[in-house]
Amino acid sequence: MFTFGNFSKKIEDERDEEIVEMNLAPAVEIKTDFLIRFNENTHHFKINEIDILYLDQRNILQSLIQIDAKIMEAEKNQSDLVEGVYEGGLKIWECTYDVANYLCTQNRSLVSGKQVLDLGCGSGILGILAYKLGADSVHYQDYNEGIIKHLTIPNVAINGQEMLEKSKFWSGDWKNFSKINNLKYDIILTSETIYNPKNQKKLLSTLKSFLKPGGTIILGGKSYYFGVGGGMNQFLDLVEKDNTFCYENIWKSEEGLRREIILMHFR
């Protein structure tokens, strides 16, 4: 077959991307009117004087692998991440601690009275912390429906019924999430969401869709994700080329896994 340069390969790649997009999780708002079951094993996430309760993820995992084939696949592969299947929501990743520490020690008033989105929330630690620091409302989004139902919502509930009543929850892929939620937020908190270079454009588009004018994004991530390919420099190159946001690197760890926090605002 005659080909001109890489034209045929480009078409094949585009078709592959379309197939992948078609198989991504649909976005769904998860209501909290179902019976929330708690196991007795809870842990404490403590930052200064703030104490956040969260459920034992190992027990949650054992429940989820019985009902969620996607998470079962990840567990069989002994993987924290399976692209487009399970995006690591059961684990509290290192940058969650970094962003939480920044909010508590350097910018406590940032979320006070604000509408907050915890994007890629997993256990919901950052959103719960935002509420404890005075946020008016907090909404949560994660890729896997099972994570939202069996981990995020119960974690919010055990930290206070009033908090649960001021919260909303969504699952699904970011592209689909943008189609069903037309809300805007003063603050977007997101941690460890830049690891997959294939999703960075989608993440940037999602941030643009949901941030209010004058709002702030706090993004925590590693300088480089070994074995996955993404990283902070790669994402910031994309931000600069897009030219929608300005950003400031407000914290960097040089020890162990190099991690960073950036603040982003509309230009």
Side-chain angles (χ1 to χ4, degrees):
M1 180 178 67
F2 174 77
T3 60
F4 184 79
N6 290 322
F7 181 70
S8 64
K9 185 179 187 305
K10 180 179 179 182
I11 292 176
E12 289 176 3
D13 290 344
E14 289 175 350
R15 286 174 179 168
D16 289 342
E17 289 179 5
E18 288 175 1
I19 292 170
V20 170
E21 290 289 334
M22 288 173 61
N23 292 329
L24 292 174
V28 180
E29 182 175 358
I30 309 298
K31 302 295 184 180
T32 59
D33 52 1
F34 58 89
L35 179 62
I36 301 173
R37 299 181 183 277
F38 307 123
N39 63 56
E40 296 180 357
N41 296 322
T42 59
H43 301 280
H44 296 265
F45 185 104
K46 293 185 177 181
I47 297 288
N48 290 2
E49 80 286 359
I50 296 178
D51 187 10
I52 296 172
L53 295 173
Y54 65 96
L55 298 181
D56 189 295
Q57 295 103 314
R58 292 167 297 181
N59 289 350
I60 299 294
L61 173 61
Q62 293 309 309
S63 298
L64 282 177
I65 60 177
Q66 303 300 320
I67 60 176
D68 192 321
K70 294 179 178 180
I71 295 176
M72 182 185 296
E73 179 181 340
E75 176 63 10
K76 285 181 178 178
N77 294 330
Q78 297 183 326
S79 175
D80 290 321
L81 297 167
V82 179
E83 183 182 349
V85 175
Y86 167 66
E87 298 290 345
L90 278 169
K91 184 173 181 178
I92 300 177
W93 297 87
E94 294 86 355
C95 293
T96 298
Y97 293 89
D98 299 334
V99 173
N101 187 63
Y102 167 77
L103 286 172
C104 283
T105 61
Q106 299 184 50
N107 211 337
R108 293 177 70 99
S109 63
L110 179 67
V111 298
S112 181
K114 303 295 177 58
Q115 282 75 48
V116 176
L117 173 63
D118 187 349
L119 186 69
C121 62
S123 60
I125 294 293
L126 293 179
I128 295 168
L129 174 62
Y131 188 84
K132 288 178 175 282
L133 290 174
D136 184 62
S137 65
V138 182
H139 294 176
Y140 301 80
Q141 182 277 337
D142 198 78
Y143 187 85
N144 291 101
E145 183 175 344
I147 297 297
I148 292 289
K149 282 187 173 180
H150 298 279
L151 183 62
T152 316
I153 292 175
N155 279 350
V156 174
I158 62 175
N159 282 278
Q161 183 62 32
E162 180 183 354
M163 188 185 307
L164 185 64
E165 292 171 356
K166 291 190 174 183
S167 302
K168 288 188 175 183
F169 304 87
W170 285 270
S171 68
D173 180 70
W174 288 326
K175 185 175 182 179
N176 296 328
F177 178 46
S178 300
K179 294 176 182 178
I180 69 165
N181 180 9
N182 59 3
L183 299 173
K184 302 284 186 181
Y185 300 91
D186 302 300
I187 306 290
I188 299 177
L189 306 174
T190 189
S191 171
E192 307 276 17
T193 50
I194 60 170
Y195 58 86
N196 188 342
K198 295 179 183 178
N199 286 334
Q200 288 184 355
K201 287 184 179 180
K202 194 186 302 182
L203 172 61
L204 183 58
S205 177
T206 302
L207 296 174
K208 290 191 287 187
S209 294
F210 289 116
L211 189 67
K212 288 182 179 179
T216 300
I217 298 162
I218 304 179
L219 185 151
K222 295 184 176 71
S223 300
Y224 185 75
Y225 289 85
F226 293 95
V228 188
M232 188 64 78
N233 288 340
Q234 187 182 53
F235 179 70
L236 293 180
D237 284 345
L238 184 64
V239 171
E240 290 177 1
K241 290 176 182 176
D242 182 79
N243 203 37
T244 300
F245 292 112
C246 56
Y247 68 87
E248 175 187 4
N249 192 313
I250 57 170
W251 180 85
K252 181 181 288 189
S253 169
E254 299 291 346
E255 299 178 359
L257 289 171
R258 296 179 62 183
R259 309 183 308 276
E260 305 175 47
I261 301 175
I262 60 168
L263 293 186
M264 299 170 62
H265 305 89
F266 284 121
R267 290 188 180 275

